[in-house]
Amino acid sequence: MDYKQQVAQAIQDVIGNDLSIEEIIEKIEVPKTLKMGDYAFPAFVLSKVMHKAPQIIAGEIVEKINQDDFEKVEAVGPYVNFFLDKKKFGKDIISQVLIEKNHYGDLNLGNNGNVTIDMSSPNIAKPMSMGHLRSTVIGNSLAELLKKTNYNPIKINHLGDWGTQFGKLIEAYKLWGNEEEVKKDPINTLLKYYVRFHKEDQENPELDDEARAWFKKLEDGDPEATRLWKWFRDESLNFFMKIYKRLGITFDSYNGEAFYNDKMQPVIDELKEKGLLEESQGAMIVDLSKYDLNPALIQKSDGTSLYITRDLAAAIYRKNTYNFVQSLYVMGNEQSNHFHQLVAVLKEMGYDWANDMHHVAFGLITSGGKKLSTRRGNIILLEEVLDDAVELAQKQIEEKNPTLKDKEKVADEVGVGAVVFHDLKNERLNQFDFDLQEVVRFEGETGPYVQYSHARAMSILRKANINENSNLSIEGLDDPDAWETVRMLSEFPAMIERAVKEYEPSVIAKYAIRLAKAFNKYYAHTKILTNDSQREERLALVQSVAIVLKESLRLLGVKAPDEM
Ligand code: ARG
């Protein structure tokens, strides 16, 4: 049921083959206000071929077009405006939503092809940052969107559990560490050591040499280094798991950087064989000047590996293991140079599939306008953000609906959902400032607002003794006030497609806000439960809204409580 297609067909029936259906569809616009119709065709695209003024062409099209399937078709200046048959359109859309339920908007774009998603990937012995939250929730939402469009997503947590920083951490622990202290509060304690290390090495550069030596030992399998490393890793992972649990997010693989320790040598050998490795001041590099990039440093002069070495091994491992059709990397845009180098080296190695790798980049989260940094100890702690958000949600529920059952559970779903929604509502490349009060508001463009709109729809249905699965038979709404909501419902599949193609969950978050707004406006001036001949039609609309809002939130990884 594609109305644009229908409009395009009607136009082509008049103009003949001057433009193909696809070309016409491409030109069709959606007018800014409903007064100008539902679709508009700009006739000036034909003035060259038809050698006529666009106003004249628009007039001729209207004269000749078959108006039967439309409420009306009219020419306004160079535009032909189409008004759809609202009753029929509404009937079609609402019936479709009620039949397909949460499968409304399912598409087959992927033919079940595998898509690996490198996401979250926090660093061991450091707190999970707001940046990692972004990667986690964007990655998770993309996984849901990919599933909905018939891809098979594979969520990989590429843990930062290897690298020179472990040398630093071991050195710091050796100098100032205390086992009891670490056990009591692992992440914060390890972070404290790490921050102290970075302070002291400013004055004592030999600390860095010690740290490098420890990492070298770790890569060579030294038992003491390995024991400490494993301990730090286990403690950190335990802690991360708690956050993932609160977010309701799972992974298919936790193969982090350390997993590739024994898989890097073959890559280095292959680079050598292919004549790509050059020596530079004792280190091994791959020249990337033909890509306009700095050389990729593959092996340091002491023989240790680098971040990119492990990423090369990981990319190849993923291709061999999952034979992906796309391989996504959800990481901050500050890593774009790293990503380009990674892809360039793989291309140099002759791997065409490097073209299927995509950097799903995102912007910084700031606080009070300032950049956050673990090294300087200037961070927002994610677990504190979630706690505070839940507490704020609790307060609001206490004010607005003190008798609500399951208050704790709902507060949790609203608080955590608010943080996730806020993150996803921002186009991923935009930088944004984090302000908790703003995030948890029940009004405005927030997650709680969308959840609240869904709960309101559910409450109307409860009053009418209808649930999400009731079968309503409908003929279409006569009420013009319902039109905006109906149109919004019809846009859902197109939104899904756009969100997946652009790797942009914000498309869905923004859509959910618009749908919620349209519905709330409708609800504000329509008595839904009045007993008249249109009652069931209105309830069907409410039910459709509940289904699509809930599905939108699900795609974002946000819960939709039935009451709040
Ligand atoms: N651990 C890195 C960080 O926190 C992110 C890793 C991203 N994934 C990758 N394959 N490089 O910055």
Side-chain angles (χ1 to χ4, degrees):
M1 206 178 337
D2 189 333
Y3 295 95
K4 233 182 192 177
Q5 180 93 29
Q6 194 181 322
V7 170
Q9 189 60 58
I11 295 171
Q12 206 195 31
D13 289 348
V14 178
I15 64 169
N17 286 330
D18 282 339
L19 292 176
S20 70
I21 290 280
E22 288 70 36
E23 284 169 323
I24 298 173
I25 287 180
E26 215 171 87
K27 300 285 188 267
I28 290 174
E29 299 171 13
V30 175
K32 291 243 157 39
T33 73
L34 291 176
K35 274 192 225 98
M36 310 284 291
D38 301 298
Y39 292 110
F41 177 72
F44 44 79
V45 303
L46 287 168
S47 41
K48 259 218 183 104
V49 261
M50 296 176 77
H51 307 290
K52 282 182 202 163
Q55 286 85 330
I56 304 210
I57 302 174
E60 286 176 358
I61 292 179
V62 170
E63 225 167 85
K64 291 189 204 145
I65 209 161
N66 179 357
Q67 302 225 4
D68 290 353
D69 285 332
F70 302 99
E71 193 178 282
K72 66 179 172 190
V73 182
E74 63 183 21
V76 176
Y79 282 95
V80 183
N81 293 343
F82 291 83
F83 295 76
L84 298 175
D85 178 340
K86 295 184 175 53
K87 188 160 178 175
K88 179 172 173 300
F89 183 92
K91 180 185 171 188
D92 288 350
I93 291 295
I94 291 172
S95 319
Q96 195 185 352
V97 177
L98 294 188
I99 288 167
E100 298 180 354
K101 304 242 159 52
N102 57 333
H103 289 291
Y104 176 57
D106 285 9
L107 302 168
N108 179 17
L109 304 177
N111 289 314
N112 206 29
N114 283 346
V115 178
T116 55
I117 311 176
D118 183 306
M119 55 183 267
S120 195
S121 312
N123 300 319
I124 295 301
K126 288 192 200 166
M128 208 184 288
S129 69
M130 292 300 282
H132 294 119
L133 173 72
R134 280 211 98 175
S135 172
T136 310
V137 300
I138 292 172
N140 182 62
S141 176
L142 290 179
E144 295 301 341
L145 284 161
L146 286 162
K147 247 187 267 168
K148 195 164 175 71
T149 49
N150 199 25
Y151 287 93
N152 180 37
I154 296 145
K155 294 180 277 181
I156 303 174
N157 197 333
H158 188 78
L159 292 169
D161 56 2
W162 208 248
T164 0
Q165 72 269 28
F166 287 91
K168 294 178 187 171
L169 197 60
I170 294 173
E171 173 65 9
Y173 180 77
K174 283 281 171 193
L175 287 171
W176 316 299
N178 171 313
E179 191 170 334
E180 285 311 299
E181 194 185 25
V182 174
K183 279 200 175 133
K184 231 187 270 150
D185 184 4
I187 303 264
N188 287 322
T189 308
L190 294 174
L191 176 67
K192 191 178 81 181
Y193 299 159
Y194 188 73
V195 171
R196 179 164 174 194
F197 183 94
H198 274 283
K199 245 192 233 136
E200 302 214 357
D201 80 341
Q202 310 265 309
E203 280 127 54
N204 274 336
E206 63 272 25
L207 280 183
D208 278 328
D209 298 332
E210 296 295 325
R212 261 194 293 276
W214 271 115
F215 180 53
K216 173 86 177 119
K217 281 194 197 173
L218 185 61
E219 284 215 318
D220 295 342
D222 172 83
E224 156 107 82
T226 307
R227 181 183 67 81
L228 285 172
W229 167 79
K230 192 171 176 311
W231 179 44
F232 298 154
R233 186 184 192 273
D234 290 348
E235 295 284 4
S236 305
L237 200 51
N238 263 342
F239 181 81
F240 296 154
M241 293 310 283
K242 284 189 202 145
I243 293 185
Y244 295 138
K245 200 166 162 212
R246 288 187 81 171
L247 295 170
I249 289 176
T250 57
F251 295 88
D252 300 298
S253 160
Y254 290 88
N255 287 340
E257 295 185 43
F259 177 77
Y260 300 99
N261 191 32
D262 63 356
K263 296 172 183 61
M264 288 184 284
Q265 195 53 49
V267 177
I268 292 174
D269 293 344
E270 189 180 333
L271 285 168
K272 245 182 237 158
E273 256 163 52
K274 293 183 171 163
L276 296 168
L277 222 47
E278 290 168 28
E279 210 186 302
S280 162
Q281 299 167 351
M284 291 305 211
I285 61 161
V286 175
D287 180 74
L288 298 175
S289 48
K290 83 168 184 227
Y291 297 87
D292 232 347
L293 292 167
N294 291 328
L297 181 54
I298 303 291
Q299 193 170 43
K300 291 191 190 167
S301 52
D302 65 1
T304 54
S305 65
L306 290 104
Y307 184 45
I308 195 166
T309 329
R310 297 185 281 281
D311 255 330
L312 282 168
I316 295 170
Y317 176 85
R318 285 173 196 169
K319 185 62 194 178
N320 293 338
T321 308
Y322 303 110
N323 194 23
F324 55 71
V325 294
Q326 288 176 48
S327 173
L328 310 184
Y329 290 76
V330 188
M331 45 190 196
N333 55 7
E334 73 280 1
Q335 298 209 32
S336 100
N337 188 56
H338 165 74
F339 181 77
H340 286 130
Q341 287 188 319
L342 175 62
V343 169
V345 174
L346 290 165
K347 281 189 183 161
E348 283 298 276
M349 293 172 88
Y351 293 130
D352 287 343
W353 50 258
N355 291 316
D356 303 324
M357 292 165 59
H358 304 283
H359 181 192
V360 180
F362 54 82
L364 271 184
I365 302 181
T366 54
S367 164
K370 279 207 205 79
K371 201 176 147 180
L372 306 161
S373 145
T374 351
R375 286 203 188 181
R376 278 177 273 131
N378 159 29
I379 38 172
I380 309 181
L381 291 180
L382 186 50
E383 59 278 22
E384 279 173 17
V385 167
L386 294 179
D387 288 344
D388 293 353
V390 171
E391 200 180 300
L392 270 181
Q394 239 154 11
K395 264 195 209 141
Q396 304 217 37
I397 290 171
E398 217 50 72
E399 256 168 48
K400 296 200 154 89
N401 193 359
T403 58
L404 177 69
K405 19 178 213 307
D406 285 334
K407 263 194 274 192
E408 302 248 304
K409 181 165 170 267
V410 175
D412 210 68
E413 293 178 348
V414 172
V416 173
V419 174
V420 172
F421 189 93
H422 177 76
D423 201 314
L424 293 176
K425 179 189 85 179
N426 289 284
E427 269 163 53
R428 60 183 163 74
L429 277 168
N430 288 351
Q431 174 169 330
F432 71 87
D433 205 70
F434 190 81
D435 172 359
L436 192 63
Q437 298 286 341
E438 177 67 23
V439 172
V440 189
R441 276 193 308 135
F442 274 41
E443 304 87 26
E445 309 200 329
T446 66
Y449 171 74
V450 177
Q451 288 174 317
Y452 188 66
S453 309
H454 167 263
R456 173 180 268 174
M458 292 306 286
S459 122
I460 299 168
L461 297 177
R462 270 196 306 277
K463 279 186 197 139
N465 260 324
I466 285 172
N467 64 36
E468 279 161 299
N469 300 314
S470 306
N471 286 316
L472 300 168
S473 66
I474 51 162
E475 285 309 316
L477 275 156
D478 292 326
D479 182 2
D481 284 341
W483 180 233
E484 208 178 318
T485 308
V486 171
R487 270 211 57 160
M488 285 301 312
L489 288 171
S490 77
E491 282 179 27
F492 188 56
M495 294 296 139
I496 302 279
E497 181 162 356
R498 218 180 98 200
V500 172
K501 289 194 169 152
E502 296 174 8
Y503 307 121
E504 188 66 87
S506 69
V507 170
I508 301 299
K510 291 195 163 90
Y511 167 80
I513 290 169
R514 280 190 291 139
L515 175 59
K517 274 191 187 160
F519 170 63
N520 285 326
K521 198 160 119 198
Y522 169 68
Y523 173 87
H525 47 59
T526 308
K527 292 212 167 53
I528 291 168
L529 290 166
T530 306
N531 251 323
D532 60 17
S533 63
Q534 287 270 297
R535 184 173 190 261
E536 198 151 310
E537 305 290 341
R538 288 189 297 268
L539 286 169
L541 176 67
V542 174
Q543 193 179 8
S544 306
V545 169
I547 290 169
V548 175
L549 283 180
K550 184 173 188 165
E551 180 63 0
S552 302
L553 290 171
R554 189 190 69 76
L555 290 167
L556 299 171
V558 175
K559 290 268 170 19
D562 284 349
E563 276 180 74
M564 64 185 267

